[in-house]
Amino acid sequence: MQLQEVLFRQGFGTRRVCAGLIQQGRVQVWPDAEAIQPAVVTDSTLEVTAPGLRFTVQGVPWEYHELAYLMLNKPAGTECSQKPSTYPSIYSLLPAPLRHRPQKGPVQGVQAVGRLDQDTTGLLLMTDDGKFIHRLSSPRHHVPKVYEVTTKHPVDARQVQKLLDGVVLEDDPKPVRAAACEAVDTLHLRLTLTEGKYHQVKRMLAAVGNRVEGLHRSQIGTLTLPHDLAPGQWRWLSAQELAGVGYAPA
Ligand code: URA
């Protein structure tokens, strides 16, 4: 693939802008996996092996990914919307190329896989692979999601049992149940859900007479939020981590 096409596909601008960045000496490329230093390339049509290619654009290091799969540690006070109403958007936490990747399938730029409320923190997956979004959002696939819940009132064994047995939410007669639920201490619950209905945790806790004071998603499938990923930070997912949420890219 030509170097200008690599930049274009990674979201660095139109093909013309990408060719210009290279011709102006703003792009450096690591010639191979062993190379320590990248070197300036000014030939925008240089043929390169795109998968795994490492390069810098205006000093910012980047790695070629055909499709983007990443995790974000969502901070409190952010909205999972491209057009937020009250709080800053999670998309403002991502570098511009991730938001501007050209459309390959139905998805333009990376998108959140499902949504978390503005006050919910923790593990959020993002991608531009429409199949991945569909797969993880589909109720048929039952990917378990683990939530750490801080409650307003002390949790008792009766509440835990009700959450496991199933509770009825106001707009749906079919009960929803937790796949797992344990009281961590008096005011903390660990709840595993395999569906993702609107405000599900908050509504389930309300249905058993308690109230959510804090909500943090710590795990999706076998993928746990790494301790060294600070709130607001993102990183690429490895193939192994993708497998941990039950997905193998085509
Ligand atoms: N359940 C909720 O109530 N809120 C979230 O953000 C996620 C699950």
Side-chain angles (χ1 to χ4, degrees):
M1 191 186 298
Q2 291 187 346
L3 187 56
Q4 60 190 16
E5 184 67 14
V6 167
L7 264 63
F8 169 70
R9 293 206 191 174
Q10 297 301 283
F12 286 92
T14 61
R15 288 195 168 84
R16 215 176 129 142
V17 164
C18 292
L21 285 167
I22 299 166
Q23 286 153 13
Q24 290 156 17
R26 293 168 197 258
V27 176
Q28 296 181 305
V29 178
W30 276 268
D32 53 59
E34 281 78 49
I36 295 166
Q37 289 289 341
V40 173
V41 174
T42 54
D43 175 4
S44 61
T45 63
L46 179 77
E47 283 294 333
V48 292
T49 307
L53 187 77
R54 291 182 302 141
F55 55 94
T56 70
V57 179
Q58 316 211 77
V60 179
W62 204 258
E63 196 182 289
Y64 181 90
H65 288 257
E66 175 86 14
L67 286 165
Y69 304 96
L70 42 117
M71 63 164 105
L72 172 74
N73 184 352
K74 181 189 174 295
T78 52
E79 288 183 34
C80 291
S81 166
Q82 307 264 11
K83 295 194 182 101
S85 58
T86 313
Y87 298 91
S89 164
I90 50 156
Y91 294 93
S92 67
L93 299 167
L94 302 178
L98 283 176
R99 288 180 273 127
H100 299 145
R101 291 164 70 93
Q103 203 153 346
K104 242 198 121 200
V107 179
Q108 160 96 62
V110 299
Q111 298 199 0
V113 182
R115 291 187 174 201
L116 293 175
D117 297 336
Q118 73 65 26
D119 51 353
T120 302
T121 59
L123 183 58
L124 186 68
L125 303 182
M126 302 187 82
T127 187
D128 60 351
D129 179 352
K131 284 204 197 104
F132 183 57
I133 296 177
H134 183 257
R135 168 92 205 210
L136 263 88
S137 315
S138 159
R140 280 192 302 124
H141 287 109
H142 300 297
V143 181
K145 301 180 181 83
V146 181
Y147 293 92
E148 312 295 331
V149 188
T150 305
T151 58
K152 182 172 169 74
H153 309 292
V155 182
D156 59 40
R158 190 188 50 91
Q159 289 176 5
V160 170
Q161 197 53 50
K162 271 191 176 175
L163 291 165
L164 286 167
D165 291 344
V167 295
V168 174
L169 306 178
E170 46 321 334
D171 56 355
D172 193 348
K174 204 168 151 252
V176 285
R177 55 180 59 87
C181 182
E182 54 171 316
V184 177
D185 60 36
T186 325
L187 294 176
H188 292 98
L189 267 183
R190 182 166 299 126
L191 194 71
T192 304
L193 299 183
T194 54
E195 323 147 280
K197 290 185 195 298
Y198 182 65
H199 290 333
Q200 186 165 340
V201 176
K202 290 176 183 167
R203 291 158 74 211
M204 286 177 77
L205 266 288
V208 299
N210 209 321
R211 194 189 149 97
V212 172
E213 289 283 290
L215 188 55
H216 176 81
R217 187 157 67 192
S218 55
Q219 191 171 336
I220 300 175
T222 62
L223 175 63
T224 52
L225 184 69
H227 292 295
D228 59 355
L229 193 71
Q233 285 187 343
W234 70 277
R235 74 160 169 76
W236 299 107
L237 291 181
S238 66
Q240 200 183 352
E241 287 169 335
L242 268 181
V245 295
Y247 191 68

